[in-house]
Amino acid sequence: MESQIVDRAPRTAAGAVSNGAKLRNYYFLRAGVAAAWVAAAFTLGKASPPAAAALLIAYPAWDALANLIDVSRNGGAARNRPQALNLAVSGVTAVAVAAVIGSMHAVLGVFGAWAILAGLLQLATGVRRWKSGAQWAMVLSGAQSALAGGFFLHQSLGSAVPGITDVAPYAGFGAFYFAISAIWLLFSRGARS
């Protein structure tokens, strides 16, 4: 589940409005993409193994792209180490999922390791950006992601054959937390544009 965008502009009233609006819009984008992915997983992915494979690779690839956007809008990798590391972890995860796509147990294991790492990095980013607003939801999301990752790892060792619908609720919770953060910022003073 992922990271946040806050430009490092001077803290003027106009700068605060602009930063809040950018963060809000970014959260809405993240929520929308995750919700669309969940819908595609339960429809296309459930009906077609090739579509499921593409979706399973696309999810961490999208997270890498989102972290790239975050890093580039916030002063680069040196100023945003958790997001830069999350970008790398998500990129490696997309490649790893592609490499093991023939085994859903292995895919779920890769998703589990990724969910733990990405969740801890999101939690760190949320704590670091606490004053930006709506970060409590990002901290909760990061913690839940890490816990879900442990569940995925455990499930990957089981005998039941997992599928894309085992991963979809994880993305659904990500959409929920991003939407809550975006809505919170929408109604927060200083976040309106």
Side-chain angles (χ1 to χ4, degrees):
M1 289 184 260
E2 310 76 268
S3 57
Q4 303 80 32
I5 288 187
V6 179
D7 286 339
R8 303 291 185 215
R11 288 290 177 198
T12 63
V17 170
S18 176
N19 290 340
K22 287 179 184 178
L23 183 60
R24 179 198 66 219
N25 294 340
Y26 176 73
Y27 285 161
F28 274 128
L29 174 65
R30 294 294 304 258
V33 170
W37 188 92
V38 171
F42 277 111
T43 55
L44 300 172
K46 193 173 178 182
S48 165
L55 287 165
L56 288 165
I57 295 165
Y59 192 68
W62 157 247
D63 194 67
L65 177 61
N67 278 288
L68 177 62
I69 293 167
D70 188 357
V71 166
S72 67
R73 290 185 180 177
N74 288 292
R79 290 182 66 186
N80 300 283
R81 285 193 169 90
Q83 299 91 312
L85 186 53
N86 213 346
L87 185 159
V89 167
S90 295
V92 167
T93 299
V95 171
V97 168
V100 300
I101 201 68
S103 166
M104 270 308 293
H105 283 97
V107 168
L108 201 57
V110 170
F111 260 83
W114 173 56
I116 291 169
L117 291 171
L120 293 174
L121 291 167
Q122 181 181 359
L123 194 150
T125 299
V127 168
R128 189 171 67 87
R129 292 179 170 173
W130 191 261
K131 292 181 181 179
S132 301
Q135 297 305 304
W136 59 270
M138 294 296 94
V139 168
L140 286 175
S141 178
Q144 186 172 0
S145 177
L147 290 173
F151 178 73
F152 285 161
L153 287 175
H154 174 74
Q155 198 176 14
S156 74
L157 301 173
S159 58
V161 179
I164 193 167
T165 57
D166 293 303
V167 176
Y170 170 76
F173 276 108
F176 170 76
Y177 283 118
F178 278 113
I180 290 295
S181 294
I183 292 167
W184 188 276
L185 288 171
L186 180 65
F187 292 106
S188 295
R189 201 175 83 172
R192 296 181 190 104
S193 56

